[in-house]
């Protein structure tokens, strides 16, 4: 039904998250209506993202240089390191505009299912950074089975270091409803209750 | 917050229909995780879609050759032409698997607002095709103000030709509900009522 190159383009769009046949078709048809300039801007952006973006040598965040924008920023508190699973999580944290420390990207979590061991993660470098006089390590892996396992592993690993190890609070999300919260979240919310 | 090339890629994804900041961000971050092979497949598909896809010289449909797949198909009834606004509409019609005639793409509709006149549309070629012995012209422009105007214009234009001019039926969509239908649709449904 479609010319081959259009069918190809539709297939490519389907690799994007949450994009099915119908949406991929809409995207591809829109591309056909765009002028060459816009398409080549898109092509260049894709190429650049692949060729220019690497990982920061200090924290593992996405960066075009050896040092990422956050590690370069002299106003950040380098004595506070927030440990996250992936660079995506840094973007989420940065949006809060609250956190002024630096980050460390593990590049995954310990997972028996996927065969990911501690040595596959960016942990050795974290230890080196900590030895340079870090005061607090905030473990911000996701509250999933694997994220929790990784958090416990790191906590154990760091128990002999002179550093405060904390974990992001778990509980009912703001704007959420008690009757929609799952049992585990409620248990965590109870455990973590605070004096008002 | 993002490296420049990532920010660029996010901007590019935002040109897709219905894609806002959040979705563009998800798409761009996924691209960063894909391997080079997949990215270059995507880049090639974009390039090909721009360089290879042109319009069929007969009907104006998307095609890689001078003649589109439908015009090439010898089993199609060339005495029946369905007139649509854009190539996208052909894809919708083809999905029905019901229509066995051929198409003609106008490349738009007459619009005072946008300053689109009949001479801006692919009408001259339609007239030439009709003179070659077409039996029926089905006008399938959208049931909007502009689509209706264009349909009336074509009907008037063809009144002296020896050809049957028909229009797609308008009414309540299948699976739709009367109480959700707008007044105009209900009026059209009433006007077009049939003996059971």
């Amino acid at each position: 039904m479609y010319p081959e190159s259009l069918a190809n383009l539709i297939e490519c769009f389907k690799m994007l998250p949450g994009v099915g046949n119908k949406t991929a078709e809409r995207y591809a048809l829109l591309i056909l209506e765009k002028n060459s300039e816009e398409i080549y801007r898109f092509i260049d952006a894709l190429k650049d993202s692949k060729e220019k973006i690497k990982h920061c040598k200090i924290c593992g965040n996405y960066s075009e240089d050896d040092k990422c924008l956050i590690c370069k920023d002299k106003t950040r508190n380098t004595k506070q390191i927030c440990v996250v699973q992936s660079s995506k999580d840094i973007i989420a944290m940065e949006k809060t505009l609250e956190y002024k420390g630096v980050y460390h990207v593990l590049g995954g979590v310990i997972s028996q299912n996927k065969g990911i061991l501690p040595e596959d993660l960016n942990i050795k470098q974290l230890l080196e950074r900590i030895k340079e006089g870090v005061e607090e390590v905030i473990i911000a892996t996701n509250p999933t089975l694997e994220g929790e396992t990784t958090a416990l592993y790191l906590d154990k690993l760091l128990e002999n270091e002179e550093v405060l190890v904390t974990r992001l609070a778990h509980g009912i999300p703001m704007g959420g409803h008690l009757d929609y919260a799952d049992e585990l979240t409620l248990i965590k919310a109870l455990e973590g209750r605070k004096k008002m």
Side-chain angles (χ1 to χ4, degrees), chain A residues 43-54 64:
Chain A
I43 287 175
D44 288 342
L46 281 167
K47 220 182 264 173
D48 280 358
S49 74
K50 204 64 216 167
E51 286 165 9
K52 288 193 188 164
I53 297 181
K54 19 187 199 182
E64 292 190 6

Side-chain angles (χ1 to χ4, degrees), chain A residues 55 59-62 83-89 104-110 116-118 120-123 141 150:
Chain A
H55 292 280
C59 72
N61 186 15
Y62 290 130
V83 177
V84 292
Q85 296 184 204
S86 76
S87 301
K88 275 191 269 195
D89 302 323
H104 192 84
V105 180
L106 291 177
V109 271
I110 300 167
I116 302 175
L117 300 169
D120 297 324
L121 305 178
N122 194 11
I123 290 174
T141 52
T150 311

